[in-house]
Every structure is written in C-alpha cells, then in structure tokens.
C-alpha cells in the first residue's frame, strides 16, 4: 500500500486472491504476471479496469502504511545506493536502510551493527527525493519526502563484530600495502649478496680490506 495505485481500487477483497475466502490471502498472479480485479460479477485484468485515464492515488496520499513499533535489530546491512541528481540527495547514511512502514518520525528503531555501501546503482526506478521525476524538471533544494516517514534513528556500531571472522563482504575491500622494492631495500650486512661485495678480490687482494669476515 505504499505504492501508487488506483483510487477506485477498493479493499483487498476486490482483488482476485489465492484464497478467495480470506482477505489476508495474497493477490493471485498468473504465470504471465497479470493480476485481476472483481468488477461486480466480472473478473477483469488489472490494466483493463484501471488504465492511464483513471485517477490514481499519489505517493503522498498513501497514508495507509502499516504503523511501525519500537524495534531492535542486530545486523550488517550490505547494499548499493541510488544515484543523486543536482539539488537532490540519495538519502545519505541516515536513510541507508529504506523503510516501508509508517514510523511517524517518532518511533525508535535501534540498530546495532554496520552499514556497508558496495556501489551506486547503475539504474534507478526513481530518484530518492520525489519532487522532480522527469528529465528537465527542476528539483528543489529542500528534501521532498512526503511519502516517507523514517524512525528515530538509534544506531551504532556493534563491537561484537570485532570478535567474529570476516564476512564474505570483506573480500570486496582492498588494502594498499607497501610493496617491496629491490632497489631501495636495505640488505643486512650478512646477506649473501652483501658478503660477496665485501669479499670481492682484484688480483687476489681484497678490494674492501677490513670489511670481509674472516
């Protein structure tokens, strides 16, 4: 119910469901990805009943989201993030976990863990901020998130992660070390190569007399 949908869609019982005797049963979708609506005694395909000429419920009108309650989570979140446009944001760290429930900006969510951003999305279905959807529209400088009610963020790093083996995500991280340089490495005095230099002879006489071990 957090998505755009027809204003006349009616209650869940108007949709053809997997179990027609239960309003909590999932909506039935056929093998072609089509779902159906009951129009009186008729059953019609969704887009035949609600085409682009009909009135649709906008994102900011979706006030029927499930209300959240205070929640505690221990987890590592690994994800990509959406690409931002000029004068728009991509959500930032505070919105790294996306929320579909109504948190009313006042309900606590406690997360102990870590957030790992692997990449930016190569394609987005929509911008994170919703005031300008189409190319050429001018975004506002203020966030426009009327459809989105995040929690009170009580988040922190879980130090318990320091006591467990690295997760598979750790393989995606690369540390640049100090590669060995044969030209600038200082060899010890007893290194075989250095000993050969120290004991080099010309015409049977030591070149570096006094430096060759006896």
């Amino acid at each position: 119910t957090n998505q755009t949908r027809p204003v006349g869609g009616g209650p869940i019982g108007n949709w053809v469901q997997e179990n027609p005797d239960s309003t909590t049963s999932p909506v039935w979708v056929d093998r072609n990805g089509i779902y159906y609506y009951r129009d009186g005694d008729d059953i019609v395909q969704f887009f035949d009943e609600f085409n682009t000429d009909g009135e649709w419920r906008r994102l900011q009108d979706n006030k029927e989201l499930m209300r959240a309650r205070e929640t505690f989570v221990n987890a590592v979140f690994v994800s990509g993030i959406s690409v931002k446009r000029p004068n728009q944001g991509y959500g930032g760290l505070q919105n790294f976990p996306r929320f579909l429930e109504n948190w009313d900006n006042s309900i606590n969510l406690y997360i102990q863990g870590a957030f790992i951003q692997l990449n930016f999305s190569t394609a987005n279905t929509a911008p994170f901020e919703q005031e300008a959807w189409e190319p050429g529209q001018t975004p506002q400088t203020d966030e426009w998130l009327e459809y989105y009610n995040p929690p009170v963020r009580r988040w922190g790093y879980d130090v318990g992660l320091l006591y467990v083996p690295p997760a598979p995500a750790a393989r995606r991280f690369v540390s640049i070390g100090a590669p060995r340089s044969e030209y600038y490495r200082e060899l010890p005095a007893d290194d075989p190569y250095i000993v050969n230099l120290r004991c080099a002879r010309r015409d049977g006489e030591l070149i570096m007399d006094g430096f060759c071990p006896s």
Side-chain angles (χ1 to χ4, degrees):
T1 57
N2 68 317
Q3 302 298 316
T4 55
R5 60 189 189 277
V7 171
I12 187 66
N14 288 358
W15 301 96
V16 175
Q17 296 169 260
E18 293 182 4
N19 181 357
D21 298 323
S22 173
T23 58
T24 61
S25 175
V27 172
W28 181 72
V29 182
D30 69 16
R31 66 175 60 193
N32 296 315
I34 299 174
Y35 43 105
Y36 299 85
Y37 186 78
R38 299 181 186 276
D39 185 0
D41 295 330
D42 298 326
I43 295 178
V44 296
Q45 293 186 11
F46 171 81
F47 287 108
D48 289 340
E49 180 74 8
F50 303 104
N51 54 43
T52 56
D53 297 329
E55 184 180 358
W56 284 64
R57 194 181 297 268
R58 301 175 301 162
L59 284 171
Q60 55 264 43
D61 293 333
N62 288 332
K63 303 302 182 184
E64 302 170 13
L65 301 181
M66 180 178 68
R67 184 170 178 81
R69 60 184 178 181
E70 188 175 67
T71 304
F72 295 82
V73 177
N74 282 85
V76 175
F77 295 79
V78 183
S79 180
I81 60 175
S82 58
V83 181
K84 71 183 188 72
R85 298 193 300 187
N87 293 326
Q88 286 189 325
Y90 51 73
L93 175 64
Q94 71 275 18
N95 293 307
F96 187 74
R98 309 294 205 220
F99 302 99
L100 299 180
E101 306 84 6
N102 179 12
W103 293 83
D104 197 31
N105 297 286
S106 63
I107 303 172
N108 291 330
L109 172 61
Y110 296 86
I111 296 179
Q112 291 296 113
F115 298 153
I116 300 176
Q117 176 207 333
L118 290 182
N119 49 32
F120 284 91
S121 301
T122 55
N124 296 342
T125 56
F128 178 75
E129 298 180 26
Q130 306 291 328
E131 79 279 6
W133 287 67
E134 302 298 333
Q137 292 182 322
T138 303
Q140 301 180 12
T141 56
D142 297 331
E143 283 191 340
W144 189 274
L145 304 173
E146 289 193 11
Y147 69 98
Y148 186 59
N149 293 307
V152 177
R153 303 170 179 93
R154 307 293 188 187
W155 300 347
Y157 179 70
D158 187 352
V159 296
L161 295 173
L162 299 175
Y163 296 95
V164 298
R171 301 172 187 169
R172 300 291 298 272
F173 296 96
V174 177
S175 297
I176 300 177
R180 187 178 70 177
S181 173
E182 297 290 348
Y183 296 99
Y184 298 100
R185 183 164 61 100
E186 184 177 355
L187 298 174
D190 59 350
D191 180 271
Y193 178 73
I194 297 299
V195 171
N196 284 336
L197 292 178
R198 291 164 57 193
C199 299
R201 295 175 180 270
R202 180 183 297 125
D203 297 331
E205 300 291 331
L206 288 171
I207 296 175
M208 302 177 65
D209 191 17
F211 292 92
C212 184
S214 57

